[in-house]
Amino acid sequence: MYEIVKVEELAPKIKLFEVYAPDIAEKSRPGQFIIIITGEKGERVPLTIAGYDVKKGTITFVFNEVGKTTRQLGMMKKGECIWNITGPLGNPSEIRNFGKVLCVAGGVMIAPMLLQVKALREAGNTVVTVMGARIKELLFFKEEMKALSHRFYVATDDGSEGYKGLSFLKDVLASEKFDRCIAMGPVAMLQTVCGLTKPYKIPTIVALMPIMVDGMGMCGVCRVSVGGQMKFGCVDGPEFDGHLVDFEELIKRQRMFLPEERLSALLWELGGCGCGAS
Amino acid sequence: MPKQPPEVRRHNFNEVALGYTEEQALEEADRCLQCPKPQCVKGCPVEVDIPAFIKLLREGKYEEGIRKIKEKNSLPAICGRVCPQEEQCQKMCVLGKVGDSVSIGRLERFLADWERAKGFTIPERAPPTGKRVAVIGAGPAGLTAAADLAKLGHEVVIFEALHLPGGVLVYGIPEFRLPKSIVQAEVDYIKKLGVELKLGYLIGRTYTIPELLKEEGFDAVFIGTGAGLPQFLGVPGENLGGIYSANEFLIRVNLMKSYAFPEYDTPIRVGRHVAVIGGGNVAMDAARSALRLGAEQVYIVYRRSRDEMPARKEEIENAEEEGVIFKLLTNPTRFIGDEKGWVKQMECIRMELGPPDESGRRRPVPVKDSEFLMDVDTVIIAIGRTPNPIIQRTTEGLAVTKWGTIMADENGKTSLEGVYAGGDIVTGEATVISAMGAGKRAARAIHEYLMSKR
Ligand SMILES: Cc1cc2nc3c(=O)[nH]c(=O)nc-3n(C[C@H](O)[C@H](O)[C@H](O)COP(=O)(O)OP(=O)(O)OC[C@H]3O[C@@H](n4cnc5c(N)ncnc54)[C@H](O)[C@@H]3O)c2cc1C
Ligand SMILES: Cc1cc2nc3c(=O)[nH]c(=O)nc-3n(C[C@H](O)[C@H](O)[C@H](O)COP(=O)(O)OP(=O)(O)OC[C@H]3O[C@@H](n4cnc5c(N)ncnc54)[C@H](O)[C@@H]3O)c2cc1C
Ligand code: SF4
Ligand code: FES
């Protein structure tokens, strides 16, 4: 049982949880993830670690309330307990002095990106960050990100704040040299970023989110094709060379259980959440 | 032994074999000759004193009978159900030479079930030794090692990566062959011996083995992490939707109880025409699960002939009775998907048997130009599993074979001091009882090591 010590609503349907999990906190590194399960009948849900505090013994993660489990999770309150958490899982990000790094984060992944940016800064890099979301209401951690970055851009899909979409990056990439790019966020965004950095041969690392079950290399559902080879997202990743990833396949695989997930959410909505409010 | 009729059981996940009644058990026990030099015991990897427990059963001394079994075997209800008895104790039984051997496994199951119904008695533990042992993995190897070490007075902590203990017993073998409540009951028994169970701890990530020994205060470590890495065919189209590894399929169904979706949150999708690739127990379990999930046709596609199938005979028969269709001497060569990326067809090639290969079985060779298409919407690949690599990758100095298994001697001793290993992680995919045997021998060796270390 893992106690929730802090709950914060960062944006509509985006929540931050801080959870007491000293053994995991001690081992967490940027780029790794955890798997939570809310109860006996629950699903195993992978979430990226967005922070850890060894002294307090806590870890932080930020999630989007999309389907049944994350919405259920979103209803939990401070002081309540999560049934089980496994982690840290996956390989830590490679953090060293690369020179100048471009960090692009979309949606909920802004939170774990903040952790990366912090680490990259400490390692002596010049960090240029881009944070994006569908609409401006979904942006969060702006001040924090700005404070940590040497330069900082905002983009929204509808142009309600900052640049409209990521095409402005074309000019940025044309006018200055980057030694590395890191992208975290929805697949479509990752694919766009990789398309932009490829002509400049900037090593581009993407954090992938294939469907997972065990998260420890046993089921193979998280398989992704990288450079024509089969890799397991959970143990070989989650970060891969974005220029080698077969994104089309990844997108199809992510949608595999869409009808079932919709059904699950729908039934849950009809049955209510038990809190009397629905 | 009475079973659920095939047309009923193919629609439910309840246990297929119903177990002996008391009368049937006594009758069967009566057949045992109480051989002075019992051969059956030689066939048992953990050396259960078979004639002795059968004698006690026959005399109605069930309590003493189960105690006798448990002297050697901490998981009798499990072994009584899934051990390949026909290849082990029962194969050696003298009666088998002239007719039917004694159904030792079913008698074992009878006593174990009797005890569970009545409630377990907890054996005495030796006085505390002050030594601490970390056991990694709560499969049959780890559970057995933990139970034996606890009885010897050591403080034992099991670290299990999944959120439930049992290893393959909970994530692989289906409910209809081994009810999970039985695994749970036997795990509870081990907990009552004082063993602490930490779930959700992936060793190699949460802690490494050197950290367990140097920082977490353990005096020895036993690795029982099994063979959990699924193998794929390496043919085109394998990443299409609807193509599962047997591990994924079985983990969804058993561990996550997808058969009860949406009551349980983890989904599974099984179409109408399912092909299971492989011929072992895993393939049979997957095929029979697919039937129960509502598939219309389930094929076992196997590249050799029936005689070479590694699955237990009983399970092949069960599958056949339930309506699984066997496509033998057939091998997939590629998968073809629809526009959404879901599998819709499978190209196969016919095979014939050539001369024997290294495994002693006749080698399957493709018949030229014999490719044909099968319409399938679900494929389950059950062609074998290799060891979990996380520990090997994160433990410096641990000697590993070229197959990725951990090198260990007969007693589980590895290349690192105080580190022992056993079960599938050492042998590659084997059996429940052989993993338990390895756990037992390692427990004995760890005990000697700890007591001589003072
Ligand atoms: C390594 C990794 C790290 C992740 N980190 C985060 C994180 O920090 N914050 C966060 O909000 N989410 C993260 N995700 C995605 C998150 O796990 C899924 O959104 C979650 O499983 C949804 O669960 P659900 O039951 O609420 O929704 P479901 O009912 O399972 O699904 C609802 C919707 O989410 C989509 N979905 C399901 N699984 C995934 C997946 N693995 N990746 C992307 N989309 C998915 C479905 O297609 C569907 O549209 C991560 C996933 C992985 C694999
Ligand atoms: C579907 C299927 C059906 C089978 N049917 C039969 C049968 O009928 N009869 C029979 O005798 N045998 C059968 N077997 C084989 C048998 O189950 C195995 O040989 C046996 O379970 C091996 O035991 P083990 O303890 O070595 O490993 P496992 O049972 O694999 O247990 C290993 C445990 O370690 C955990 N683990 C792995 N890595 C880590 C880590 N780094 N940190 C912490 N924990 C970790 C795993 O989660 C798992 O719980 C079957 C196998 C399968 C897959
Ligand atoms: S060999 Fe058969 S008959 Fe003889 S003791 Fe063993 S079970 Fe009984
Ligand atoms: S999630 Fe199962 S192997 Fe990666």
Side-chain angles (χ1 to χ4, degrees):
Chain A
M1 291 296 225
Y2 293 82
E3 192 189 329
I4 302 166
V5 297
K6 183 169 134 192
V7 174
E8 205 181 314
E9 185 159 347
L10 298 176
K13 294 189 187 290
I14 298 183
K15 290 220 167 87
L16 174 147
F17 273 19
E18 188 176 334
V19 173
Y20 185 68
D23 294 347
I24 302 175
E26 203 177 313
K27 283 303 155 54
S28 297
R29 297 290 174 268
Q32 291 187 294
F33 65 96
I34 50 170
I35 285 193
I36 63 162
I37 176 163
T38 51
E40 208 57 86
K41 298 187 176 177
E43 197 170 5
R44 294 171 64 92
V45 176
L47 296 170
T48 312
I49 295 168
Y52 45 86
D53 185 329
V54 181
K55 263 200 227 103
K56 275 164 64 188
T58 61
I59 53 168
T60 305
F61 51 86
V62 171
F63 60 94
N64 224 338
E65 298 177 37
V66 284
K68 177 174 170 187
T69 309
T70 46
R71 279 151 74 183
Q72 239 174 1
L73 200 64
M75 287 181 346
M76 292 183 78
K77 301 196 172 52
K78 188 181 157 184
E80 291 184 327
C81 286
I82 294 174
W83 196 53
N84 195 276
I85 304 185
T86 306
L89 299 170
N91 299 298
S93 312
E94 193 184 341
I95 304 281
R96 56 186 171 84
N97 193 345
F98 297 104
K100 195 187 215 179
V101 186
L102 176 66
C103 297
V104 189
V108 274
M109 299 310 277
I110 291 169
M113 184 58 99
L114 192 64
L115 187 65
Q116 289 244 2
V117 168
K118 213 181 285 176
L120 286 166
R121 251 327 272 252
E122 278 163 17
N125 292 282
T126 303
V127 185
V128 177
T129 52
V130 179
M131 55 189 270
R134 248 181 327 111
I135 48 171
K136 71 170 195 248
E137 287 73 21
L138 295 176
L139 291 165
F140 57 90
F141 282 174
K142 252 186 300 187
E143 293 314 311
E144 292 86 338
M145 192 69 99
K146 200 170 170 181
L148 279 170
S149 317
H150 288 93
R151 203 142 31 83
F152 165 76
Y153 298 95
V154 173
T156 45
D157 290 355
D158 64 349
S160 55
E161 184 169 339
Y163 290 93
K164 188 169 192 291
L166 288 176
S167 41
F168 78 97
L169 273 176
K170 253 193 218 138
D171 301 332
V172 176
L173 289 164
S175 62
E176 55 185 312
K177 210 182 141 282
F178 288 93
D179 300 294
R180 193 178 176 87
C181 171
I182 298 164
M184 301 173 91
V187 215
M189 188 206 94
L190 302 180
Q191 205 174 1
T192 307
V193 172
C194 289
L196 289 167
T197 58
K198 199 159 184 185
Y200 300 97
K201 299 203 174 61
I202 303 169
T204 301
I205 305 302
V206 291
L208 300 185
M209 300 195 269
I211 293 180
M212 292 189 180
V213 180
D214 59 301
M216 51 186 269
M218 275 167 45
C219 72
V221 68
C222 64
R223 57 196 193 271
V224 285
S225 298
V226 182
Q229 276 185 315
M230 187 192 285
K231 296 281 179 192
F232 285 6
C234 64
V235 289
D236 300 320
E239 295 180 0
F240 291 100
D241 179 343
H243 294 153
L244 298 179
V245 170
D246 182 342
F247 285 108
E248 303 303 324
E249 180 186 280
L250 178 64
I251 291 170
K252 283 184 183 151
R253 289 190 64 80
Q254 274 188 341
R255 292 189 185 139
M256 247 163 18
F257 292 100
L258 214 52
E260 286 78 7
E261 279 151 2
R262 287 209 180 115
L263 174 69
S264 171
L266 189 67
L267 288 172
W268 180 70
E269 275 163 27
L270 292 174
C273 58
C275 70
S278 60
Chain B
M1 181 163 52
K3 285 200 244 178
Q4 276 195 70
E7 57 292 355
V8 176
R9 69 182 195 240
R10 63 172 284 179
H11 299 295
N12 69 53
F13 271 84
N14 302 335
E15 196 168 12
V16 166
L18 303 172
Y20 277 153
T21 60
E22 187 166 4
E23 263 181 349
Q24 287 167 323
L26 289 169
E27 202 176 298
E28 185 64 18
D30 253 347
R31 293 181 50 232
C32 172
L33 304 174
Q34 293 292 312
C35 309
K37 283 190 189 151
Q39 297 301 304
C40 53
V41 179
K42 290 188 192 157
C44 174
V46 297
E47 298 160 15
V48 169
D49 190 344
I50 295 165
F53 98 70
I54 296 183
K55 180 157 183 276
L56 290 164
L57 194 170
R58 185 148 84 189
E59 291 164 357
K61 296 181 183 157
Y62 301 151
E63 180 70 45
E64 289 84 347
I66 188 70
R67 285 288 116 249
K68 184 51 80 186
I69 296 175
K70 281 195 159 174
E71 280 172 14
K72 299 286 185 183
N73 183 341
S74 298
L75 310 170
I78 293 165
C79 289
R81 286 173 166 78
V82 301
C83 264
Q85 292 104 8
E86 65 283 0
E87 294 293 327
Q88 301 178 354
C89 52
Q90 290 173 199
K91 188 175 190 178
M92 307 291 276
C93 169
V94 288
L95 283 178
K97 313 272 185 273
V98 290
D100 283 343
S101 48
V102 176
S103 295
I104 301 167
R106 293 171 183 182
L107 295 175
E108 179 183 25
R109 167 179 168 162
F110 171 79
L111 283 181
D113 288 353
W114 174 86
E115 186 194 32
R116 196 161 18 86
K118 152 200 91 72
F120 294 112
T121 355
I122 304 303
E124 285 201 19
R125 292 181 64 183
T129 59
K131 303 285 183 189
R132 301 180 72 220
V133 186
V135 169
I136 309 170
L143 291 171
T144 307
D148 284 14
L149 286 162
K151 280 193 249 171
L152 290 164
H154 306 295
E155 193 184 321
V156 184
V157 181
I158 302 182
F159 294 95
E160 165 58 50
L162 292 171
H163 59 277
L164 291 176
V168 172
L169 307 177
V170 290
Y171 82 69
I173 302 179
E175 182 80 15
F176 55 81
R177 228 154 45 82
L178 178 64
K180 301 306 155 235
S181 56
I182 288 176
V183 181
Q184 191 56 49
E186 302 212 326
V187 169
D188 285 344
Y189 161 80
I190 289 169
K191 280 204 266 188
K192 288 204 184 113
L193 290 169
V195 171
E196 191 189 344
L197 196 57
K198 288 203 177 234
L199 301 171
Y201 281 75
L202 181 63
I203 301 306
R205 297 272 194 217
T206 321
Y207 299 115
T208 62
I209 289 179
E211 284 164 355
L212 288 173
L213 289 168
K214 290 194 193 90
E215 291 159 29
E216 300 300 318
F218 289 98
D219 302 291
V221 171
F222 173 77
I223 309 170
T225 48
L229 190 78
Q231 286 184 314
F232 288 92
L233 293 157
V235 302
E238 211 164 9
N239 291 349
L240 287 166
I243 304 186
Y244 301 90
S245 77
N247 255 17
E248 179 194 349
F249 187 79
L250 292 169
I251 289 175
R252 282 184 188 269
V253 177
N254 299 310
L255 183 71
M256 308 311 293
K257 302 225 182 322
S258 302
Y259 60 83
F261 179 87
E263 189 200 341
Y264 282 73
D265 292 339
T266 308
I268 188 141
R269 190 175 322 163
V270 177
R272 288 161 53 197
H273 310 285
V274 180
V276 181
I277 320 297
N281 283 323
V282 183
M284 298 305 142
D285 283 347
R288 298 172 67 197
S289 298
L291 269 182
R292 284 162 172 76
L293 288 163
E296 281 166 27
Q297 264 138 17
V298 178
Y299 301 98
I300 288 273
V301 177
Y302 182 56
R303 62 192 184 129
R304 304 181 199 246
S305 75
R306 196 178 174 118
D307 293 338
E308 284 90 18
M309 271 206 218
R312 287 184 67 186
K313 227 166 91 209
E314 187 179 329
E315 303 308 343
I316 297 175
E317 282 163 15
N318 278 333
E320 200 156 44
E321 279 173 20
E322 288 164 12
V324 172
I325 304 158
F326 289 78
K327 286 226 171 263
L328 303 168
L329 291 164
T330 305
N331 208 24
T333 46
R334 105 189 133 99
F335 300 103
I336 301 155
D338 63 16
E339 63 291 346
K340 284 192 181 141
W342 202 265
V343 65
K344 67 170 187 195
Q345 278 183 320
M346 171 167 89
E347 186 189 77
C348 292
I349 190 160
R350 289 194 212 290
M351 309 291 279
E352 59 191 8
L353 290 180
D357 62 12
E358 322 80 66
S359 76
R361 294 177 301 177
R362 294 179 60 193
R363 182 199 298 274
V365 272
V367 178
K368 212 169 168 291
D369 296 329
S370 65
E371 285 90 351
F372 64 100
L373 289 173
M374 271 173 85
D375 288 336
V376 291
D377 47 19
T378 307
V379 176
I380 303 166
I381 298 171
I383 56 166
R385 305 172 309 135
T386 57
N388 287 336
I390 294 182
I391 290 208
Q392 294 86 318
R393 285 188 197 166
T394 54
T395 314
E396 214 179 303
L398 186 68
V400 176
T401 67
K402 67 173 179 198
W403 298 282
T405 53
I406 294 176
M407 280 202 222
D409 72 8
E410 178 59 9
N411 297 314
K413 197 171 161 9
T414 70
S415 60
L416 290 177
E417 186 181 333
V419 179
Y420 294 74
D424 284 5
I425 190 67
V426 169
T427 54
E429 257 183 291
T431 59
V432 172
I433 193 74
S434 62
M436 290 176 58
K440 261 196 129 49
R441 291 191 302 276
R444 214 179 289 153
I446 291 171
H447 178 64
E448 277 164 25
Y449 165 74
L450 292 174
M451 300 324 276
S452 66
K453 219 176 83 168
R454 297 226 162 250

